């Protein structure tokens, strides 16, 4: 059984926010402009992004509603009638509710009936895991189609008031780092067991991921304070105490971050080997790197290994749409299909190296025209 | 970045070696003493233990490399020259390591009289055996692992140790020096890869030797307490 991506959609909330406007939306921590902001933005290269909160810190659209808008756009672009969707597979790093699963909330927003449901929980690669669940379900003949949606609303974590809630400590670099990296958005893909009746489809040749949680400590997390010692947000007497101790801030252990380059390239070499693939045979690369800094490091290693895919085949919309975590790869694929040139038979290689606890996902697609 | 390896076979070989290196890098991060080092939980006694166990490999390293040089016949004399040069550069590095050991609070006599652990025995046994075979071109794979490690020691481990213990006189001169030199050695290694990786059979042997050495090197660090 073959599986095809027959339609895509996205939703980016509100207007594009440029670098000078970020602190107007997220606010100044203790009334002072950030000293790190410029340095981090220069390194990641992001020029504009979107937020689902306004300057008053009100949420303008929920995570599940964003997911639903992207899903609806994807359905409208497809020839699948809403009432014939058999599976819904959703991913996010943080739903609107702690429980139930994100997929349930998105299903209700979309008003889909009787679907088989899957929620994928994790950071950037959770979208690829949601996609893999849908892909294997169709492949196994359990479903004929599946709607896959990834959505992120991380800006709620970055309000200045969250940092100001800290008691007896300064905001550390690791807690502030991602404030200048992440933003909001949703992307959706329709998967079917036959190509679309007209236009372009993408055949999913394979999806493969390698996780290295056994090797490295946690690199990106919410739920543990700066000096963790095994303590999590649920181990405090009250949630208020957890917040005062900084256990609810989104943190990135930047010293561990460089490991993502090695494991990302290692996985790439492994899939080249396992899938009998050569770098020359790849026509387009969509890689979810979080910053320009990583792009150059990845290129350096690929050049060294002599398996670099020429730079003009790499596509990204990171600098204009921002880093939307797990939604990035879907938003990127959607915009690639709508704005770039490609032809039947072209191959597309997608790569999502995740720094959460070092999970790297890869996907190979072939353009099919009808 | 410069293209180091130019022949198509050399490129294939380099790609395979890089893959072995990444796998070794991951395996190494799981070894107890290295895990503690990389996660900032190394004690000073641990660091002494690490140096003490590395010394065996450094001393034996120059021995197997010179043995390897002597096993190349006249048709491979250019390789012999390169390998001799490499061995000469490194054969007294262990003196630096001993000084670091003393700076870290160890007694010179202890490191000089220490027994090889069982992993070191296996590693050196294998390397000396391979180095004694005629024209042991597969040892390029071993050199790749050892040089790569030098690079890692300088770039990552030395700064981690400095961060944790940062004392004067420095306890990391060996790691830093080794790393700086290894960059130059890596350049030579790229040329050797081009020279010897001429067919699939040789490439497979180089890859296998790199894998064996990577595994035995990890074993040497897994067995730091097992003499």
């Amino acid at each position: 059984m073959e599986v095809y991506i027959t339609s895509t959609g996205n939703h980016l909330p509100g207007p594009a926010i440029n670098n000078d406007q970020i602190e107007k939306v997220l606010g100044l921590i203790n009334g002072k402009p950030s000293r790190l902001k410029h340095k981090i933005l220069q390194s990641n290269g992001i020029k504009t992004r979107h937020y689902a909160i306004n300057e008053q810190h009100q949420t303008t659209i929920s995570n599940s509603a964003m997911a639903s808008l992207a899903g609806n756009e994807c359905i409208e672009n497809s020839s699948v009638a809403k009432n014939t969707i058999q599976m819904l597979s959703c991913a996010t790093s943080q739903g609107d509710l702690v429980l139930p699963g994100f997929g349930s909330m998105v299903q209700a927003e979309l008003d889909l009936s009787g679907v088989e449901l899957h929620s994928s929980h994790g950071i950037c690669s959770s979208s690829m895991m949601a996609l893999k669940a849908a892909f294997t379900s169709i492949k196994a003949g359990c479903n004929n189609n599946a709607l896959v949606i990834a959505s992120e609303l991380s800006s709620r974590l970055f309000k200045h008031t969250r940092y100001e809630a800290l008691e007896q400590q300064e905001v550390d670099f690791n807690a502030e780092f991602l404030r200048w990296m992440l933003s909001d958005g949703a992307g959706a893909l329709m998967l079917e067991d036959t190509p679309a009746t007209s236009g372009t489809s993408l055949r999913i040749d394979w999806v493969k991921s390698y996780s290295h949680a056994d090797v490295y400590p946690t690199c990106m997390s919410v739920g543990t304070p700066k000096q963790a010692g095994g303590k999590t947000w649920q181990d405090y007497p009250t949630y208020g105490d957890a917040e005062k101790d900084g256990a609810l801030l989104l943190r990135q252990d930047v010293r561990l971050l460089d490991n993502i380059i090695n494991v990302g390239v290692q996985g790439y070499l492994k899939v080249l080997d396992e899938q009998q693939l050569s770098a020359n045979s790849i026509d387009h690369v969509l890689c979810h790197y979080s910053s320009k800094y990583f792009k150059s490091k990845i290129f350096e290693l690929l050049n060294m290994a002599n398996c670099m895919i020429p730079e003009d085949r790499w596509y990204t919309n990171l600098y204009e749409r921002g880093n939307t975590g797990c939604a990035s790869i879907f938003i990127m694929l959607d915009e690639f299909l709508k704005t770039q040139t490609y032809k039947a038979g072209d191959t597309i290689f997608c790569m999502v190296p995740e720094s959460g606890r070092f999970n790297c996902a890869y996907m190979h697609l072939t353009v099919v025209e009808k | 970045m410069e293209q180091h390896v130019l022949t198509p076979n050399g490129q294939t070989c380099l790609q395979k070696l890089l893959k072995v290196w990444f796998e070794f890098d991951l395996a190494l991060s799981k070894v107890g003493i290295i895990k503690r080092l990389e996660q900032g939980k190394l004690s000073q006694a641990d660091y002494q233990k690490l140096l003490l166990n590395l010394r065996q490999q450094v001393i034996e390293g120059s021995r197997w490399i010179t043995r390897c040089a002597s096993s190349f016949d006249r048709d491979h004399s250019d390789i012999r020259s390169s390998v001799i040069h490499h061995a000469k550069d490194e054969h007294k590095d262990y003196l630096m390591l001993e000084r670091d050991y003393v700076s870290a609070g160890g007694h010179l006599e202890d490191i000089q009289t220490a027994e090889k652990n069982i992993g070191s025995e296996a590693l050196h046994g294998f390397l000396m055996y391979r180095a004694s075979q005629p024209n042991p071109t597969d040892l390029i794979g071993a050199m790749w692992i050892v040089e790569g490690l030098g690079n890692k020691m300088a770039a990552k481990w030395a700064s981690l140790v400095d961060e944790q213990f940062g004392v004067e006189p420095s306890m990391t001169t060996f790691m830093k020096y080794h790393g700086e030199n290894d960059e130059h050695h890596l350049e030579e290694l790229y040329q050797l890869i081009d020279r010897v990786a001429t067919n699939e059979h040789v490439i497979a042997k180089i890859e296998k030797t790199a894998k064996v050495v990577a595994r035995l090197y990890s074993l040497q660090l897994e067995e730091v307490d097992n003499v």
Side-chain angles (χ1 to χ4, degrees):
Chain A
M1 186 85 71
E2 302 282 15
V3 183
Y4 301 85
I5 296 171
T6 56
S7 165
T8 61
N10 85 77
H11 180 77
L12 291 159
I17 302 293
N18 69 32
N19 290 354
D20 296 331
Q21 298 167 305
I22 299 178
E23 274 178 313
K24 285 190 187 133
V25 180
L26 302 180
L28 301 172
I29 301 172
N30 295 317
K32 289 181 219 151
S34 167
R35 281 185 294 180
L36 290 173
K37 178 186 151 187
H38 182 66
K39 193 178 153 202
I40 295 171
L41 286 171
Q42 213 171 21
S43 159
N44 68 27
I46 301 172
K47 301 264 185 289
T48 54
R49 78 283 290 144
H50 294 255
Y51 293 123
I53 60 171
N54 62 20
E55 291 183 16
Q56 289 73 47
H57 286 178
Q58 292 153 334
T59 305
T60 55
I61 179 169
S62 71
N63 198 2
S64 44
M66 258 194 311
S68 157
L69 288 178
N72 267 327
E73 187 183 294
C74 182
I75 295 168
E76 276 165 30
N77 290 338
S78 82
S79 54
V80 178
K82 203 166 175 177
N83 62 1
T84 62
I85 294 174
Q86 296 177 359
M87 181 179 185
L88 176 66
S89 186
C90 294
T92 189
S93 61
Q94 206 169 35
D96 302 304
L97 302 183
V98 178
L99 289 168
F102 185 57
S104 301
M105 307 309 286
V106 178
Q107 182 193 347
E109 282 280 344
L110 273 167
D111 194 19
L112 289 179
S113 297
V115 289
E116 181 164 354
L117 188 63
H118 176 79
S119 290
S120 169
H121 170 68
I123 307 182
C124 298
S125 65
S126 60
S127 49
M128 292 291 272
M129 294 190 275
L131 185 142
K132 176 118 189 191
F135 169 70
T136 48
S137 173
I138 296 173
K139 200 101 183 134
C142 300
N143 288 301
N144 303 120
N145 64 36
L147 179 60
V148 188
I149 310 177
S151 186
E152 296 281 21
L153 208 170
S154 51
S155 65
R156 288 191 289 211
L157 286 162
F158 301 138
K159 299 171 190 177
H160 68 94
T161 45
R162 301 264 188 225
Y163 298 88
E164 288 162 357
L166 279 181
E167 213 167 54
Q168 296 168 341
Q169 50 183 303
E170 295 257 306
V171 176
D172 53 297
F173 180 86
N174 288 353
E176 196 187 327
F177 179 72
L178 290 163
R179 198 172 194 233
W180 314 112
M181 301 285 280
L182 297 175
S183 53
D184 309 333
L189 311 176
M190 181 69 78
L191 268 51
E192 292 183 75
D193 59 2
T194 50
T197 45
S198 64
T200 302
S201 296
L202 303 173
R203 190 182 67 232
I204 303 176
D205 301 312
W206 47 261
V207 185
K208 180 75 198 158
S209 68
Y210 306 100
S211 171
H212 304 285
D214 60 323
V215 181
Y216 299 113
T218 310
C219 182
M220 183 176 167
S221 62
V222 179
T224 186
K226 187 181 169 190
Q227 302 294 343
K231 195 171 187 177
T232 79
W233 63 293
Q234 303 214 60
D235 303 320
Y236 290 83
T238 69
Y239 295 136
D241 289 335
E243 181 165 38
K244 282 180 203 156
D245 201 25
L248 295 173
L249 292 174
L250 178 62
R251 290 175 188 281
Q252 177 95 69
D253 189 338
V254 286
R255 287 198 327 179
L256 291 171
L257 202 49
D258 271 354
N259 291 314
I260 196 65
I261 302 160
N262 283 2
V263 295
V265 174
Q266 186 215 16
Y268 171 67
L269 291 177
K270 269 168 95 166
V271 292
L272 284 186
D273 237 26
E274 282 171 15
Q275 308 292 339
Q276 301 278 302
L277 193 70
S278 92
N280 287 333
S281 69
I282 296 167
D283 299 306
H284 311 277
V285 185
L286 275 59
C287 178
H288 170 57
Y289 45 81
S290 55
S291 88
K292 222 168 47 181
Y293 167 82
F294 284 116
K295 180 185 163 186
S296 61
K297 294 271 175 194
I298 292 169
F299 280 16
E300 206 175 296
L301 269 181
L302 295 186
N303 270 318
M304 183 180 169
N306 260 300
C307 53
M308 175 64 184
I309 303 156
E311 197 171 348
D312 59 4
R313 298 186 196 173
W314 291 63
Y315 170 80
T316 185
N317 58 3
L318 169 75
Y319 310 123
E320 298 78 32
R321 312 287 169 236
N323 179 350
T324 51
C326 75
S328 276
I329 193 72
F330 291 0
I331 293 171
M332 207 189 296
L333 192 59
D334 175 64
E335 192 166 342
F336 171 84
L337 289 174
K338 288 170 181 163
T339 63
Q340 302 300 301
T341 318
Y342 47 85
K343 57 183 189 308
D346 275 7
T347 56
I348 302 171
F349 183 63
C350 300
M351 212 183 323
V352 183
E354 173 194 299
S355 67
R357 202 150 178 175
F358 303 101
N359 187 36
C360 299
Y362 307 83
M363 172 165 70
H364 191 268
L365 306 168
T366 303
V367 177
V368 177
E369 298 276 0
K370 235 185 186 175
Chain B
M1 191 177 164
E2 257 179 275
Q3 202 86 344
H4 298 284
V5 173
L6 300 173
T7 64
N9 277 323
Q11 288 175 2
T12 308
C13 185
L14 182 59
Q15 213 175 92
K16 288 188 186 296
L17 285 176
L18 204 63
K19 209 165 140 263
V20 178
W21 165 258
F22 283 137
E23 271 148 31
F24 172 53
D25 192 28
L26 287 174
L28 213 51
S29 295
K30 288 184 80 168
V31 176
I33 196 163
I34 301 303
K35 198 169 183 173
R36 291 198 291 281
L37 166 66
E38 292 184 344
Q39 298 188 10
K41 290 174 186 155
L42 201 74
S43 67
Q44 197 144 331
D46 260 342
Y47 183 56
Q48 286 176 24
K49 196 185 285 177
L50 180 64
L51 290 176
L52 186 136
N53 283 276
L54 282 174
R55 179 179 179 273
Q56 316 293 349
Q57 174 246 327
V58 176
I59 290 182
E60 298 295 326
S62 52
R63 290 186 61 218
W64 72 257
I65 294 175
T66 38
R67 172 79 63 94
C68 164
S70 74
S71 297
F72 282 107
D73 62 20
R74 59 185 291 180
D75 295 333
H76 297 77
S77 60
D78 57 322
I79 304 177
R80 196 196 309 144
S81 304
S82 173
V83 174
I84 288 172
H85 178 224
H86 186 154
K88 183 178 176 294
D89 265 5
E90 291 195 346
H91 81 291
K92 283 193 170 172
D93 278 7
Y94 69 92
L95 294 173
M96 217 179 307
L97 193 149
E98 288 175 355
R99 283 196 294 277
D100 286 350
Y101 180 76
V102 173
S103 299
H107 296 293
L108 190 59
E109 202 193 329
D110 291 346
I111 193 169
Q112 285 178 339
T113 55
E115 267 279 307
K116 276 184 219 150
N117 74 48
I118 60 163
S120 302
E121 293 284 3
L123 175 64
H124 305 145
F126 174 76
L127 286 169
M128 285 306 257
Y129 155 71
R130 290 299 314 153
S132 306
Q133 307 300 306
N135 298 317
T137 47
D138 60 306
L139 281 172
I140 303 288
M143 292 176 204
W144 170 264
I145 293 295
V146 176
E147 294 306 329
L149 198 76
N151 222 325
K152 188 181 165 93
M153 284 197 291
K156 201 170 169 187
W157 295 358
S159 59
L160 285 170
V161 173
D162 282 349
E163 232 171 75
Q164 236 181 300
F165 308 111
V167 292
E168 289 297 335
S170 169
M171 291 157 41
T172 53
T173 53
F174 164 76
M175 284 186 178
K176 284 182 208 139
Y177 171 83
H178 206 52
E180 282 159 24
N181 261 334
D182 285 352
E183 205 159 310
H184 169 64
H185 291 150
L186 271 178
E187 286 299 324
E188 288 181 345
L189 204 51
Y190 290 132
Q191 286 167 20
L192 281 181
I193 290 172
D194 256 346
R195 163 74 171 85
V196 304
T198 47
N199 61 55
E200 268 180 39
H201 179 65
V202 180
I203 293 171
K205 282 183 75 177
I206 292 174
E207 186 190 7
K208 185 174 177 193
T209 295
K211 278 189 188 171
V212 175
V213 169
R215 179 65 198 106
L216 292 179
Y217 201 103
S218 294
L219 191 69
Q220 147 174 270
L221 292 170
E222 282 165 28
E223 300 290 351
V224 286
D225 294 313
N226 193 0
V227 172

